Amino acid sequence: DAGITQSPRHKVTETGTPVTLRCHQTENHRYMYWYRQDPGHGLRLIHYSYGVKDTDKGEVSDGYSVSRSKTEDFLLTLESATSSQTSVYFCAISESKAGGQQDTQYFGPGTRLTVL
Amino acid sequence: SQQGEEDPQALSIQEGENATMNCSYKTSINNLQWYRQNSGRGLVHLILIRSNEREKHSGRLRVTLDTSKKSSSLLITASRAADTASYFCALQPGNTPLVFGKGTRLSVIA
């Protein structure tokens, strides 16, 4: 298994509180991604990173911010959590191929977040 | 939408039977990938097929790609109870992140 860990694995929080999820990799892969998975929607990309301090928005980025100060860590922050952000969050990593193309993705175990 | 659409949404078969699931899409792609997700776990990459390839095999898995019809199929032969999972197709339209479909839930009954 690719060396990807997510913390915390479970979190319950209240509306309006800030929440930070952490993704840590030991593979030295260039790309890191944050997804959310909800019934009926499949997997949707929130933000991704293509290098230290280089990030870009995904399909559902509103209400989320990210930071990547080191190759191995990618943080996802909900500045003020809402009930609509209750979801399972997955981190993924991928290598960079020739020409900058992204390779297959390896996923972390997920974080189950409940916002009351 | 760049998202692939899996069909069927759910599939239930007996152990030993073959399982076929399909993915249709609307955009041009560099490659198409299939992933498996066991309940409560992260996704696991199964196979990648590039736009210039028509068929790939990996163990009991066979993937086909028809770019003219913008469709792909995943065949699992001689299915086992352990194959019970959700299966997702993911498209790579260009040098952009993968776009995942909503998945097919496969149940293999022993």
Side-chain angles (χ1 to χ4, degrees):
Chain A
D1 291 345
I4 311 169
T5 56
Q6 293 184 229
S7 59
R9 294 292 314 280
H10 301 272
K11 186 170 183 65
V12 179
T13 191
E14 294 190 349
T15 298
T17 60
V19 176
T20 295
L21 308 182
R22 179 181 183 239
C23 177
H24 178 78
Q25 62 149 327
T26 58
E27 306 296 323
N28 200 35
H29 282 7
R30 177 183 177 187
Y31 291 91
M32 298 186 75
Y33 311 83
W34 276 109
Y35 294 91
R36 61 178 290 174
Q37 187 174 34
D38 305 287
H41 291 279
L43 215 63
R44 293 181 292 176
L45 182 66
I46 304 171
H47 282 279
Y48 69 103
S49 169
Y50 46 96
V52 174
K53 292 185 170 41
D54 292 323
T55 65
D56 206 348
K57 295 179 180 180
E59 178 188 356
V60 290
S61 59
D62 286 350
Y64 301 95
S65 62
V66 290
S67 65
R68 191 169 178 199
S69 58
K70 298 185 290 184
T71 298
E72 58 267 33
D73 289 325
F74 193 33
L75 304 181
L76 176 71
T77 298
L78 292 65
E79 300 291 346
S80 178
T82 68
S83 58
S84 64
Q85 294 176 311
T86 292
S87 186
V88 180
Y89 291 85
F90 287 99
C91 173
I93 64 174
S94 68
E95 290 184 291
S96 175
K97 305 286 280 184
Q101 283 194 17
Q102 297 153 53
D103 203 356
T104 59
Q105 294 188 12
Y106 302 92
F107 282 78
T111 293
R112 185 173 295 276
L113 176 67
T114 301
V115 183
L116 302 176
Chain B
S1 168
Q2 295 183 327
Q3 188 179 44
E5 196 167 315
E6 289 96 340
D7 173 65
Q9 292 185 351
L11 178 62
S12 183
I13 60 173
Q14 297 289 324
E15 207 168 28
E17 294 180 339
N18 294 342
T20 300
M21 49 207 89
N22 305 293
C23 175
S24 60
Y25 58 93
K26 296 181 179 177
T27 187
S28 298
I29 59 170
N30 282 345
N31 66 67
L32 185 147
Q33 304 180 29
W34 286 91
Y35 288 77
R36 183 189 75 231
Q37 184 181 32
N38 292 91
S39 180
R41 308 288 293 274
L43 277 70
V44 174
H45 177 257
L46 295 176
I47 199 162
L48 179 154
I49 186 164
R50 302 194 186 282
S51 58
N52 61 353
E53 297 175 315
R54 294 296 168 259
E55 187 170 313
K56 286 191 81 169
H57 296 257
S58 177
R60 294 184 295 111
L61 305 181
R62 172 179 169 250
V63 168
T64 62
L65 179 64
D66 187 333
T67 53
S68 66
K69 294 182 179 178
K70 289 186 165 56
S71 68
S72 174
S73 68
L74 170 66
L75 169 67
I76 304 173
T77 60
S79 61
R80 307 165 181 168
D83 294 326
T84 294
S86 291
Y87 292 82
F88 295 86
C89 70
L91 313 177
Q92 187 138 52
N95 187 23
T96 55
L98 292 176
V99 181
F100 286 83
K102 296 179 182 179
T104 292
R105 291 189 311 278
L106 173 66
S107 298
V108 181
I109 302 165

